[in-house]
Amino acid sequence: MRKTLNTIRRTKIVATLGPASDRPGVLEAMIKAGVNVVRLNFSHGSADDHGRRLSEVREIADRLGKSVAVMGDLQGPKIRIARFRDGAVTLAKGQPFVIDMALENDAGDSQRVGCDYKALGQDVVTGDRLLLDDGRLVLQVDSVDASEVRTTVVVGGKLSNNKGINKQGGGLSAAALTDKDRADITTALEIGVDYLAVSFPRSAADMHEARDLLGEAGKHIGLVAKIERAEVVADHATLDEVISASEAVMVARGDLGVEIGDAQLIGVQKRMIKRARQLNRAVITATQMLETMITAPLPTRAEVFDVANAVLDGTDAVMLSAETAAGEYPVEAVEAMHRLCLGAERERSTQESGHRVRQDFARIDEAVALSAMYAANHLGGVAAIACMTATGRTALIASRIRSGLPIVGLAHNPLAQRRMALYRGVSSVLFDTTTMAADEVNERAIELLVSKGIVTTGDQVILTRGDQMDAHGGTNAFKIIEV
């Protein structure tokens, strides 16, 4: 009996926590509705807020018998204008406007405004375009000196305090990790996140720096590279290096879309998802997926197709931001996301794969995991693939192959179990083998799958494992077992 995709959702849901999810009963309802990973946005809230929310997630998940991972998300170098003396101003097309790094923070007016990024004048030249407030206003640079960037307004509109600045085409040199981020990394370690997202990495070196800051105490934390800079996607080698330096990547379509333009963003999203899967990394698609559900109980048709396209492309997860953090319908947004993912996954193409059929494998565990998935997709009686794993890696590699079959990660510890909450098509259960005799491990694994209702008598299960059960990368065999 093959499991169908009509009831088992393979694409994972990431939901951001905030004031909306803090309302009584809402977080538990969101988790019941299908949230797999929660996001703690370090751009807002205190360390105490993040610790409290993480503890609530752990308590609710344990009580409900669910595995929910927690991702901390660093703010990164948000480059912003300063504030206006008398409130928001309106800029008219064609008028001059100066970004003045020497101006006091609260002294802005309709002619000029300060900036918190003092190196802006070193990063731009005459002819560059600056995009303010997520691209709603556009300024063309006329001239630059040490403290002033003089511009002409190309696209005008209302401009209020502390709005972000992007450079069209990328190239602002602000470091990815700020002093605030370093403090937040300490918070992430103290409260015990499972993933840590790094904003605006310029290269793999930024991801390596974050890994070094996590140190030995944070070696189990998965790093997520948020792809937001134009220069990262402009060069294939740089993108590959950033992906390879991370455990997962996020297609962060907000700032990235502003820098490269909406027209390019379409293809970039598809290429990023494909490349992350080829490099055995998880991938999250984010930003404005169900934006209208911040204030409306149902998504638009355009949002329906946006979610569906990401699922059809093979994304591991889709992310809700303000919809669940500050919106009026956080639970309904999760329910809608669940429903849309299931609808897209019924399409036959989501169950078929030609992934790496003409490429060599570099590792034994990779060869075993992918071979097991090929066998499962072509052997009619297989009902599930079960991966014994100390880190979750084997299940991740297996999930790079599209399939209609459930992949079950038999996790040797809770950290590995939560890590797998992000991987497409993977469910996980605790399976501690430390007290088992070597000759009973397989039998006990099958008994666990039966008890969970994943397989039944007469089914075939493909079981991957290693000779050294707790060894990282130790998977070296798979076996086909009849229940």
Side-chain angles (χ1 to χ4, degrees):
M1 179 184 71
R2 279 189 183 268
K3 304 291 179 183
T4 70
L5 290 180
N6 293 333
T7 56
I8 302 172
R9 174 171 47 83
R10 302 180 71 80
T11 308
K12 303 303 180 71
I13 297 174
V14 181
T16 305
L17 303 190
S21 63
D22 285 344
R23 299 197 296 261
V26 170
L27 178 58
E28 181 164 340
M30 286 168 52
I31 291 174
K32 286 180 177 177
V35 169
N36 304 104
V37 181
V38 299
R39 171 178 172 248
L40 305 176
N41 185 359
F42 288 160
S43 297
H44 307 285
S46 66
D48 289 342
D49 291 331
H50 303 315
R52 171 182 53 80
R53 286 170 178 152
L54 183 144
S55 296
E56 290 173 357
V57 169
R58 294 274 191 262
E59 186 276 324
I60 293 169
D62 288 346
R63 178 158 44 81
L64 298 177
K66 294 180 176 290
S67 177
V68 179
V70 176
M71 178 175 70
D73 191 340
L74 301 176
Q75 176 176 289
K78 292 295 286 185
I79 299 170
R80 301 178 184 277
I81 61 168
R83 295 178 293 277
F84 295 96
R85 181 187 304 113
D86 300 316
V89 300
T90 298
L91 303 186
K93 180 180 178 180
Q95 78 163 78
F97 189 73
V98 178
I99 300 176
D100 185 350
M101 272 64 69
L103 193 68
E104 294 181 5
N105 283 342
D106 297 303
D109 57 28
S110 61
Q111 303 301 311
R112 65 180 57 227
V113 72
C115 180
D116 63 1
Y117 180 53
K118 304 308 179 185
L120 181 65
Q122 301 168 30
D123 288 348
V124 299
V125 297
T126 300
D128 282 345
R129 288 198 168 191
L130 297 178
L131 312 170
L132 277 60
D133 193 11
D134 291 334
R136 293 179 178 87
L137 291 89
V138 181
L139 311 177
Q140 179 149 321
V141 177
D142 298 325
S143 63
V144 181
D145 64 27
S147 64
E148 291 187 354
V149 176
R150 291 176 284 274
T151 75
T152 298
V153 177
V154 176
V155 178
K158 183 179 178 180
L159 183 61
S160 55
N161 295 338
N162 303 121
K163 293 302 182 183
I165 304 175
N166 295 86
K167 177 183 170 185
Q168 191 172 68
L172 296 182
S173 61
L177 294 169
T178 65
D179 290 341
K180 172 177 167 51
D181 294 332
R182 290 179 172 84
D184 286 337
I185 287 174
T186 299
T187 298
L189 282 167
E190 290 173 349
I191 65 178
V193 302
D194 303 297
Y195 287 95
L196 184 69
V198 178
S199 297
F200 299 97
R202 298 163 297 176
S203 67
D206 290 324
M207 303 309 298
H208 294 315
E209 182 182 0
R211 175 59 66 199
D212 290 342
L213 290 170
L214 285 171
E216 182 67 18
K219 65 180 182 180
H220 64 281
I221 295 175
L223 286 179
V224 181
K226 294 172 65 179
I227 308 301
E228 300 176 276
R229 295 190 190 246
E231 52 265 43
V232 175
V233 299
D235 177 71
H236 293 303
T238 300
L239 180 59
D240 278 5
E241 288 166 1
V242 171
I243 294 172
S244 297
S246 315
E247 279 69 46
V249 294
M250 183 188 295
V251 189
R253 305 182 302 179
D255 284 282
L256 181 61
V258 171
E259 291 205 357
I260 68 174
D262 292 338
Q264 286 194 58
L265 183 62
I266 301 163
V268 166
Q269 172 177 311
K270 292 179 180 297
R271 288 195 298 274
M272 278 182 57
I273 292 172
K274 181 178 181 180
R275 195 62 185 139
R277 294 179 65 85
Q278 289 174 335
L279 293 172
N280 292 330
R281 299 299 189 268
V283 56
I284 304 165
T285 304
T287 313
Q288 297 180 330
M289 301 214 77
L290 297 179
E291 183 83 355
T292 59
M293 290 195 72
I294 296 172
T295 57
L298 292 171
T300 65
R301 291 290 180 267
E303 290 167 338
V304 167
F305 276 83
D306 182 34
V307 173
N309 274 314
V311 173
L312 293 172
D313 288 341
T315 192
D316 284 88
V318 285
M319 193 173 95
L320 296 165
S321 298
E323 299 95 330
T324 52
E328 297 176 22
Y329 302 96
V331 178
E332 291 85 350
V334 177
E335 292 171 342
M337 192 68 91
H338 171 78
R339 183 173 67 250
L340 299 178
C341 290
L342 279 177
E345 288 167 358
R346 293 189 185 104
E347 177 63 29
R348 181 67 186 174
S349 64
T350 67
Q351 305 172 44
E352 299 172 340
S353 183
H355 177 70
R356 299 188 60 187
V357 292
R358 295 178 179 85
Q359 295 181 13
D360 293 336
F361 304 138
R363 295 171 51 129
I364 293 173
D365 58 349
E366 185 178 46
V368 170
L370 295 180
S371 297
M373 290 303 300
Y374 289 132
N377 279 347
H378 292 277
L379 185 60
V382 174
I385 303 95
C387 305
M388 296 187 195
T389 177
T391 64
R393 177 177 168 80
T394 307
L396 169 66
I397 298 171
S399 69
R400 303 307 84 187
I401 299 287
R402 294 176 186 256
S403 175
L405 296 169
I407 302 168
V408 183
L410 300 175
H412 298 339
N413 59 72
L415 294 174
Q417 184 184 21
R418 292 196 299 268
R419 176 72 69 87
M420 289 183 277
L422 182 59
Y423 304 157
R424 180 171 176 143
V426 176
S427 60
S428 60
V429 293
L430 281 176
F431 186 67
D432 186 356
T433 61
T434 54
T435 61
M436 298 180 194
D439 59 357
E440 67 172 332
V441 170
N442 290 1
E443 182 179 351
R444 295 278 290 277
I446 299 301
E447 289 174 355
L448 179 60
L449 297 179
V450 172
S451 71
K452 296 290 185 182
I454 298 169
V455 297
T456 189
T457 302
D459 286 342
Q460 291 176 329
V461 176
I462 294 184
L463 184 67
T464 71
R465 57 172 294 182
D467 294 330
Q468 302 296 321
M469 294 303 296
D470 293 316
H472 175 66
T475 297
N476 59 7
F478 75 85
K479 188 172 185 178
I480 303 174
I481 302 172
E482 185 165 330
V483 180

